[in-house]
Amino acid sequence: RELALTLPSEMMIAEKMDEIDPAAIHRARQFMRQTLAERLETEWLEAWHTNRTEGAYRPTPQDAGKRALKNLALSYLLLLDNPAYCRMAIDQYHSADNMTDRLAALTSLVHSGWTDKLPEAKALPEHFYQEYEDEALVIDKWFSLQATSPNVDVAAVGKLMAHPAFTLRNPNRARSLIFGFCHNNMAQFHAADGSGYEFWSKNLTDLDRINPQVAARLARCMDQWKRYIPSLRKPAEQALRNVSEHSLSRDTREIIGKTLSA
């Protein structure tokens, strides 16, 4: 049920289009999510309540399915302008006895923008970091959930890169933050002013000198640039040509060359 109620990602929708308009895809998908949230509010709230698992955490398929459906319902409820749902998510964050529920609550709060509205929600990202700063994989997820939020633009990602826990020399961290933003945050990466592409080109060349494997993967974020709407093609091409002028590792150079000539 959770899978059936999950909308296709923006990237999946883009793959089905002859001409890709990232901003339009984002608006349409968000409109659909908002409409489902408003029309099915009662059902989402019931799903959140009835799929709460009682007792100690169990990694069983049934309980995992319930957590998934409950957290999907929560993500829809947080799209509504109701502080009660925000506080419900905050309570879930604090009372969760497993990482799935805690991380889901935090992700939904960040992605829905509630961490910019209520002080008690705003404090949660830093609280999460303080709780898990010694657990590298968890902090990778912390960077990723912020980088993929539609409310996080290039300037905000730059601030995250200045965080003491971030370094380009950590490949997992670089993937979580930079690749997460460029690949999974279509609304902000494809900003009309080209700032996302400038961010991509700068960090790609910096990363290529440190970790060519991660850089090569990041290079593929621009594979489809010729299918973008006309207003995005020029800044996208310029970013690719800027990268091509640098001394690159073999794999990254090959990907950029093929992308430009395709």
Side-chain angles (χ1 to χ4, degrees), residues 38-256:
E38 293 171 358
R39 301 289 179 85
L40 300 174
E41 179 179 2
T42 301
E43 287 84 354
W44 293 127
L45 186 57
E46 181 183 2
W48 186 83
H49 281 292
T50 58
N51 287 282
R52 299 173 71 182
T53 52
E54 301 297 333
Y57 171 80
R58 295 175 301 177
T60 63
Q62 183 178 15
D63 279 10
K66 286 186 174 183
R67 281 189 290 271
L69 182 55
K70 174 191 67 179
N71 289 323
L72 178 69
L74 182 64
S75 72
Y76 275 104
L77 291 170
L78 288 174
L79 296 177
L80 303 174
D81 189 21
N82 187 338
Y85 297 141
C86 177
R87 293 188 174 90
M88 191 168 75
I90 293 171
D91 288 343
Q92 174 174 311
Y93 171 88
H94 285 297
S95 64
D97 63 354
N98 62 86
M99 183 60 69
T100 299
D101 282 346
R102 175 165 281 194
L103 198 61
L106 180 61
T107 300
S108 293
L109 285 164
V110 171
H111 285 214
S112 61
W114 278 106
T115 48
D116 296 324
K117 299 175 185 177
L118 287 185
E120 53 265 49
K122 187 176 182 179
L124 292 188
E126 180 60 23
H127 179 273
F128 186 92
Y129 175 77
Q130 295 295 335
E131 285 281 305
Y132 300 104
E133 62 179 318
D134 295 327
E135 299 185 34
L137 294 179
V138 178
I139 297 304
D140 289 340
K141 292 180 181 295
W142 180 78
F143 276 110
S144 178
L145 76 87
Q146 294 177 89
T148 56
S149 169
N151 304 301
V152 171
D153 59 11
V154 168
V157 175
K159 291 181 180 178
L160 285 168
M161 289 181 68
H163 193 280
F166 182 81
T167 173
L168 284 176
R169 296 187 179 280
N170 182 322
N172 290 333
R173 200 126 308 166
R175 278 196 297 267
S176 297
L177 183 54
I178 299 175
F179 185 81
F181 175 77
C182 296
H183 188 262
N184 295 316
N185 195 338
M186 286 189 68
Q188 298 292 353
F189 175 57
H190 298 284
D193 62 2
S195 58
Y197 303 152
E198 292 177 13
F199 171 88
W200 170 84
S201 62
K202 179 188 183 305
N203 285 285
L204 176 61
T205 53
D206 289 345
L207 192 56
D208 193 60
R209 290 190 291 269
I210 300 170
N211 194 318
Q213 286 185 319
V214 177
R217 185 179 180 190
L218 182 62
R220 295 193 178 280
C221 288
M222 299 290 273
D223 277 355
Q224 303 298 318
W225 73 275
K226 288 186 178 179
R227 292 174 57 208
Y228 297 165
I229 55 175
S231 62
L232 293 178
R233 286 178 208 155
K234 186 174 181 179
E237 182 180 12
Q238 185 59 54
L240 282 159
R241 296 201 180 281
N242 289 344
V243 170
S244 70
E245 293 173 358
H246 287 75
S247 177
L248 301 171
S249 64
R250 185 183 63 182
D251 288 349
T252 303
R253 183 176 64 252
E254 181 179 354
I255 292 168
I256 295 297

